[in-house]
Amino acid sequence: MDMAENLTFEIMLTNIKTGFFIGYNNSWNGKGMWLKVQRPDKNSKMDLPYIFLCNAEGNLVPWIPSQMDLFSENWGVKPYDGEDIKPISKN
């Protein structure tokens, strides 16, 4: 899969859990914001996997979905290319 849109939260989550995709929501106000799953390694201060958000300014923050996020059907996924963390272009 290259890029897919109009997905449910469950489908987006299943894809980002693989580590090969980042997720985004077309209804978010910030341009280029996206989600990724982080799986801690031996150097991490975290013990369990978690989702983080890259905001429009390129800042990273742990993320928890809202009720609206959970029921939204306008999620998208894009392959994660391993490049530096930065806001994405949806073009």
Side-chain angles (χ1 to χ4, degrees), residues 8-21:
T8 63
F9 180 83
E10 293 87 356
I11 293 171
M12 181 278 299
L13 181 61
T14 298
N15 280 277
I16 70 170
K17 284 170 68 174
T18 68
F20 297 111
F21 296 92

Side-chain angles (χ1 to χ4, degrees), residues 1-59:
M1 173 179 10
D2 289 328
M3 189 171 175
E5 294 192 333
N6 300 316
L7 306 175
T8 63
F9 180 83
E10 293 87 356
I11 293 171
M12 181 278 299
L13 181 61
T14 298
N15 280 277
I16 70 170
K17 284 170 68 174
T18 68
F20 297 111
F21 296 92
I22 55 176
Y24 59 89
N25 191 308
N26 287 321
S27 67
W28 284 345
N29 292 330
K31 300 291 183 200
M33 296 180 4
W34 53 269
L35 304 173
K36 187 168 183 327
V37 170
Q38 178 69 40
R39 297 194 182 278
D41 62 17
K42 65 181 180 182
N43 299 316
S44 179
K45 302 241 186 260
M46 301 293 184
D47 295 320
L48 300 172
Y50 59 93
I51 299 172
F52 69 88
L53 170 86
C54 178
N55 68 16
E57 291 78 33
N59 300 312

